[in-house]
Amino acid sequence: MLFALSAYTVSKSRITEHIYQHYSGTFKLIGEGVARHSGQEREQWLSAIERLSGLSFEAQYFADKQLPDKQLRKLLKDKFLFVVDKELVTSKAYILLPDEQSYLSVQVDDYGTSLVRISAFLMLNELGRHRSEARLEALNRLKELYSYPIELVAMSDLAISASNLRTIKKGDVAVVLNISGATTSNMMAYAPIGNSRFVLKLGMIPLFDWLPLSHLIAAIAFTLVAMATAVFYLVKPIERRLAEVDDKIVAIAQDKEMITTDNAPSDAITKLSNTVDSMALRIQRLLAAQTDMVRAISHELRAPITRVRFQLVMLQEAKQPNQHAQGIEKNLDELEKLIDEVLTFLKLKSHQPELTFEAIDATQLIKQLIKTHAPAHSNIHIDMAINSHQPMLADQHYIFRAAGNLLLNALKYAKARIEIGYQKDADSFILWVADDGPGIPEEQRIDIFTPFKRLDASRARQSGGYGLGLSIVQQIAHWHQGTISVVDSNYGGTLFSIRWPITEVSNAHC
């Protein structure tokens, strides 16, 4: 916008300067010609000028207020005023009349050959009014009015084309254009002086160049500088913000505390920065979880190893070694079970297997669960609650594992009763296990799916387990695009339910 405004102002100023420099003498001669004539003679003289130049003069009065006061004052001072219109397409010249109460206005559409022709005719008219020595004085005065050379040359000395020479011999003005791409284009005008052998030579007269080479170079330089400046001020903040992202990545690599960025603009770099923040937070959580897992595994391993060591000492001193040997075997079984649980959990966390969705009879699945896990808990009564006879769509192996973990968890804490149920609503399959155990406080429910997390260490130690069963259930539910929730059961204990969408598994099944 600023560049366009500057270009407009410069072009307007250059047109005005070009006219004043090369053609102000022309309009002054018209003013003097008007002043020398009056009445009918003035009209005839102006008509002749209009025919020769193709221009149309119009008389206007100061009282009409056609011009602003500032322009009127300039017209009174210089006897001539030139104004370029807003579109830079045409211009108007104003010539003060002798009474200084009126002026002539003329529209100028051509800043080249037309003005040169009328200039030549006016010069011939001025020279024709004088004789011998007075004509030379008039020629010298013309030279003062114009910025370009004016001289008398013998027709025989002209180095012009034959067609231009014929034009001169006919009594017309010949205008010769010299168009050059490397330098400023110009014109030469040749006007015959009556029947004499002399010709009035005008020029070289510069043609108005809308975009001269110097201005073009300046415009390109200005554009390049403006673009470089804009790029600098655009890239600098981006570079600074990318450096901040780089610092975050370095902080992650060096395990240093990372500073998050607030109130950043919403763009691609902010999105990248937020992604790095999320990645760093996830890495920190994974590292923390890994540390907790190693600590928990170490703790879990320490207890059976300590018991094995103790029983080995007792075995050396015992009179009945078989009893202590059985204890050692039991603790080794516990270690093997722990290792198996850890490996299973790590396998489930490391990658998502390719699930095989199939129609499963819920009744048969629950009966198989009870048959597998109930015999070891004969004091617990297990009910079945099948609210829908439509089969569930799931991966049989993993859904059996998830439901089995929920049942085992309920068997650990139930007092006398457990309910296993299934239903299908409009958009979901739901499988649940409820017990009449002590329940889980609401504020602690968020922690029960954390690996190796025990809400009550003494109760957990008594009931067994390693805190991995519910984490595995949560992972399997996630693979089925579902969720696991925990609420109070109707029996006073806890109800765990797995819910997964029909649409997701149906699409996967297809």
Side-chain angles (χ1 to χ4, degrees):
M1 183 66 182
L2 180 61
F3 178 76
L5 182 61
S6 300
Y8 172 82
T9 305
V10 169
S11 297
K12 190 172 183 179
S13 175
R14 288 182 59 244
I15 294 172
T16 304
E17 181 183 358
H18 180 80
I19 295 298
Y20 271 98
Q21 183 177 0
H22 301 296
Y23 299 107
S24 60
T26 301
F27 293 105
K28 288 180 180 179
L29 288 178
I30 293 174
E32 291 176 1
V34 171
R36 289 195 303 269
H37 300 85
S38 60
Q40 188 67 28
E41 290 183 357
R42 176 182 293 179
E43 296 294 332
Q44 292 175 353
W45 189 84
L46 280 174
S47 296
I49 296 298
E50 288 178 340
R51 286 195 304 273
L52 293 171
S53 63
L55 301 176
S56 179
F57 294 90
E58 181 182 357
Q60 294 180 331
Y61 297 91
F62 280 36
D64 296 337
K65 298 292 185 180
Q66 296 292 323
L67 291 175
D69 292 341
K70 183 178 180 180
Q71 292 182 354
L72 287 175
R73 287 194 296 270
K74 183 173 178 60
L75 178 59
L76 287 170
K77 178 184 176 182
D78 299 337
K79 314 300 182 185
F80 160 68
L81 176 67
F82 186 79
V83 179
V84 183
D85 72 347
K86 294 180 179 179
E87 288 77 19
L88 304 183
V89 177
T90 63
S91 305
K92 275 202 170 183
Y94 302 94
I95 305 166
L96 185 66
L97 294 177
D99 59 7
E100 295 191 350
Q101 295 297 318
S102 59
Y103 55 88
L104 293 176
S105 67
V106 57
Q107 182 169 305
V108 179
D109 299 323
D110 178 18
Y111 306 135
T113 56
S114 296
L115 288 178
V116 170
R117 287 182 183 278
I118 187 60
S119 299
F121 283 123
L122 289 170
M123 291 181 193
L124 290 177
N125 181 73
E126 184 67 18
L127 293 176
R129 295 190 311 105
H130 302 85
R131 302 291 179 185
S132 60
E133 294 183 3
R135 180 172 290 180
L136 293 177
E137 293 179 3
L139 180 60
N140 291 332
R141 179 176 177 274
L142 291 175
K143 291 179 180 181
E144 294 176 358
L145 287 176
Y146 291 89
S147 60
Y148 49 81
I150 301 173
E151 58 181 327
L152 290 176
V153 181
M155 192 177 300
S156 57
D157 295 336
L158 295 178
I160 57 176
S161 66
S163 60
N164 286 322
L165 190 59
R166 286 195 296 271
T167 299
I168 295 172
K169 289 180 178 180
K170 290 179 182 178
D172 292 333
V173 175
V175 179
V176 180
L177 299 178
N178 177 26
I179 307 297
S180 173
T183 58
T184 302
S185 301
N186 55 70
M187 298 177 289
M188 301 287 292
Y190 303 91
I193 302 178
N195 295 321
S196 69
R197 60 185 183 88
F198 290 99
V199 174
L200 188 64
K201 178 183 175 183
L202 283 64
M204 302 189 318
I205 308 168
L207 277 169
F208 181 74
D209 190 353
W210 286 95
L211 191 62
L213 183 61
S214 59
H215 286 69
L216 179 60
I217 294 174
I220 294 174
F222 175 82
T223 302
L224 291 176
V225 171
M227 289 177 63
T229 304
V231 168
F232 174 80
Y233 283 104
L234 286 173
V235 170
K236 192 65 178 177
I238 296 175
E239 183 181 5
R240 183 179 66 252
R241 292 170 61 199
L242 286 176
E244 293 175 356
V245 175
D246 182 66
D247 291 341
K248 292 180 180 181
I249 296 174
V250 171
I252 295 172
Q254 297 178 353
D255 196 20
K256 295 180 179 179
E257 184 178 357
M258 190 182 67
I259 301 174
T260 57
T261 305
D262 297 326
N263 300 324
S266 179
D267 54 20
I269 296 179
T270 300
K271 185 177 180 181
L272 173 62
S273 180
N274 292 338
T275 302
V276 171
D277 290 345
S278 301
M279 179 183 69
L281 184 60
R282 179 167 177 78
I283 290 174
Q284 290 172 355
R285 289 175 177 172
L286 289 174
L287 290 175
Q290 185 184 47
T291 302
D292 292 341
M293 182 179 293
V294 171
R295 187 182 298 113
I297 292 174
S298 301
H299 176 74
E300 296 291 343
L301 288 172
R302 188 177 294 113
I305 289 173
T306 301
R307 292 197 299 269
V308 168
R309 290 182 182 275
F310 176 75
Q311 288 169 341
L312 283 173
V313 173
M314 296 297 294
L315 183 63
Q316 293 172 357
E317 301 175 355
K319 296 179 180 180
Q320 296 180 349
N322 289 339
Q323 181 179 357
H324 295 289
Q326 291 175 356
I328 292 173
E329 184 178 2
K330 181 180 179 182
N331 283 289
L332 289 176
D333 289 341
E334 185 178 343
L335 283 174
E336 185 178 4
K337 185 177 180 182
L338 170 61
I339 293 171
D340 181 63
E341 283 287 294
V342 171
L343 291 176
T344 301
F345 176 73
L346 293 177
K347 180 180 178 182
L348 294 178
K349 290 291 290 185
S350 63
H351 68 284
Q352 177 174 341
E354 184 176 350
L355 302 182
T356 303
F357 288 91
E358 55 185 303
I360 303 171
D361 187 319
T363 302
Q364 293 301 319
L365 176 74
I366 294 174
K367 285 181 177 180
Q368 184 63 36
L369 284 170
I370 295 173
K371 181 180 179 181
T372 303
H373 300 293
H377 302 82
S378 58
N379 60 320
I380 305 297
H381 178 71
I382 302 176
D383 294 325
M384 292 175 51
I386 308 298
N387 298 336
S388 174
H389 295 289
Q390 294 185 17
M392 67 178 76
L393 281 176
D395 184 289
Q396 184 163 357
H397 171 73
Y398 286 108
I399 206 67
F400 186 86
R401 177 66 183 268
N405 282 8
L406 291 181
L407 179 56
L408 285 173
N409 184 74
L411 288 169
K412 293 174 188 177
Y413 302 112
K415 297 175 183 177
R417 185 175 183 181
I418 293 175
E419 179 184 87
I420 306 178
Y422 163 75
Q423 74 177 49
K424 175 180 177 292
D425 59 20
D427 56 3
S428 302
F429 300 110
I430 305 169
L431 190 64
W432 76 85
V433 176
D435 62 61
D436 62 350
I440 302 174
E442 187 172 352
E443 64 274 9
Q444 295 182 1
R445 291 173 184 173
I446 192 173
D447 297 324
I448 60 177
F449 301 105
T450 304
F452 298 103
K453 185 73 173 181
R454 286 194 175 96
L455 304 183
D456 186 336
S458 61
R459 184 184 69 176
R461 179 67 59 205
Q462 182 180 1
S463 59
Y466 310 101
L468 290 174
L470 294 178
S471 299
I472 293 174
V473 174
Q474 185 184 49
Q475 189 64 38
I476 293 174
H478 174 71
W479 288 344
H480 285 74
Q481 305 299 320
T483 59
I484 180 171
S485 60
V486 53
V487 295
D488 294 331
S489 73
N490 294 330
Y491 309 115
T494 305
L495 184 148
F496 286 90
S497 63
I498 306 174
R499 176 188 293 266
W500 67 101
I502 294 175
T503 53
E504 295 291 340
V505 298
S506 296
N507 292 336
H509 182 63
C510 294

